[in-house]
Amino acid sequence: MVVSEFDCLVLNCIMMLTSDPATAHEFPMDYLERVKKVHSEGGYGSQGYKYDWKIEEAQKNLLRTHTTAVSARMLYKLAQQKEFRPVKYFSIDRVFRNETLDATHLAEFHQIEGVVADYGLTLGDLMGIIYEFFKKLGIEKLRFKPAYNPYTEPSMEIFSYHEGLKKWVEIGNSGVFRPEMLLPMGLPQDVQVIAWGLSLERPTMIKYGIDNIRDLIGPKVNLQMIYDNPLCRLDKKII
C-alpha cells in the first residue's frame, strides 16, 4: 500500500502551500514550471502565494494527508489525452493528519474520494451527487456549510446528525476545483471538475450508532466484535 506521496502532489499541484499542515519526477518540467509560476506569481485568475517555489521541496516525500493527491495525478493523465472525455474517478486509501485524538478524530484513517469531470458542471450537480451518495448508505440527514479549500471554490463541508452523540458531525468536504489547479495541467477551459471526500469511519459511526471512532480503528478496537461480525454488512437495498 502506498501511503506517501511527493510534496508536489499532496500540496503544490493542488494549490496548497508547501508549509500547509494538510511524485514530482513523474511530471514534465514544463508542467512544473506552470505550477511554480502560479504559486510564485499567480495566473489563471489567481494572484498566487507570492513565495519562492522550489523543486527541491516539491520532490520530498511525506505521508499522504488526503486522497486529492490521487485525484490530481489522474486529472493530469486525463489532460494529456488527445481529446477530452467526461470521467468519474473514485478512490479509497489511508491518510494521515496531525490531529488530537477524541471520539470523532483520528491521526490515521481512511478517506473516500469522488471526482467528476465534464462540461457545464455546477455546485447544484455536486450537492445532488452527495445527497444520492449518502442516501444509498442510509444517511439522509445532511447539512452543507460554506468552507475554504486552497484547491476548490466554491467549497462546502458536509455534516450529518449523529443520534448517539446528539450533534451534527462533519463527515466530508467538497467543492469545484479551481482553474489555477486544472488549467496548468492542460484541461480545457470550459471543463469543470467537482469533487468530494469523506472519511470511511465517521459515516460508519452514524450508520451503526457507534459513539467513539476509536472503537472502529486503532489499538482500542474490540477484537471480539471483529470476530463476531461479518466482514462487510451492506443493506440489500444498497446493492
Side-chain angles (χ1 to χ4, degrees):
M1 178 189 295
V2 177
V3 296
S4 66
E5 293 278 7
F6 284 103
D7 182 284
C8 180
L9 274 175
V10 177
L11 302 176
N12 301 154
C13 294
I14 59 172
M15 287 306 296
M16 294 180 72
L17 283 165
T18 303
S19 59
D20 197 292
T23 49
H25 64 69
E26 298 180 45
F27 302 107
M29 282 305 301
D30 61 336
Y31 171 54
L32 296 180
E33 286 295 329
R34 292 194 292 273
V35 172
K36 176 180 180 179
K37 184 174 181 181
V38 172
H39 277 256
S40 304
E41 305 173 20
Y44 307 101
S46 170
Q47 64 180 9
Y49 292 117
K50 310 299 184 185
Y51 78 108
D52 187 17
W53 188 92
K54 296 181 179 179
I55 185 66
E56 295 80 13
E57 291 293 325
Q59 289 177 326
K60 291 181 178 179
N61 282 320
L62 71 162
L63 290 174
R64 182 192 295 123
T65 58
H66 49 187
T67 51
T68 310
V70 179
S71 299
R73 179 185 286 111
M74 297 305 297
L75 289 171
Y76 177 80
K77 290 182 178 179
L78 175 65
Q80 308 317 301
Q81 297 179 0
K82 291 183 178 180
E83 184 177 349
F84 172 80
R85 58 179 179 84
V87 296
K88 298 177 181 178
Y89 295 133
F90 301 93
S91 65
I92 304 176
D93 218 327
R94 186 164 291 191
V95 296
F96 304 84
R97 300 282 177 84
N98 182 14
E99 295 277 10
T100 300
L101 304 187
D102 60 25
T104 59
H105 291 83
L106 291 170
E108 178 181 346
F109 59 94
H110 296 87
Q111 184 169 339
I112 303 167
E113 182 149 342
V115 173
V116 181
D118 202 347
Y119 298 102
L121 294 175
T122 67
L123 191 65
D125 295 309
L126 176 60
M127 295 176 71
I129 289 175
I130 292 171
Y131 269 118
E132 189 65 23
F133 182 91
F134 282 104
K135 183 179 179 180
K136 289 182 179 295
L137 297 178
I139 299 173
E140 298 192 32
K141 289 185 178 180
L142 295 181
R143 283 182 177 176
F144 297 96
K145 175 185 175 182
Y148 167 76
N149 293 322
Y151 43 90
T152 58
E153 178 61 37
S155 308
M156 304 180 301
E157 293 174 344
I158 310 163
F159 291 80
S160 182
Y161 191 75
H162 192 296
E163 298 290 350
L165 297 176
K166 303 299 181 185
K167 67 177 184 179
W168 290 88
V169 177
E170 182 189 348
I171 57 174
N173 208 319
S174 63
V176 182
F177 279 136
R178 291 172 176 263
E180 59 265 40
M181 172 188 166
L182 302 176
L183 296 181
M185 294 178 177
L187 286 168
Q189 290 190 3
D190 51 352
V191 167
Q192 286 77 43
V193 180
I194 56 177
W196 66 99
L198 58 137
S199 76
L200 175 63
E201 289 77 12
R202 283 188 185 174
T204 303
M205 289 175 63
I206 294 172
K207 181 171 178 61
Y208 295 110
I210 297 172
D211 295 339
N212 195 321
I213 198 170
R214 289 166 288 192
D215 293 337
L216 283 174
I217 183 172
K220 293 187 177 182
V221 171
N222 184 345
L223 295 181
Q224 190 63 42
M225 177 193 72
I226 302 297
Y227 180 80
D228 291 340
N229 285 281
L231 178 63
C232 181
R233 293 181 291 164
L234 291 176
D235 297 335
K236 289 183 180 180
K237 62 181 180 180
I238 297 178
I239 303 174

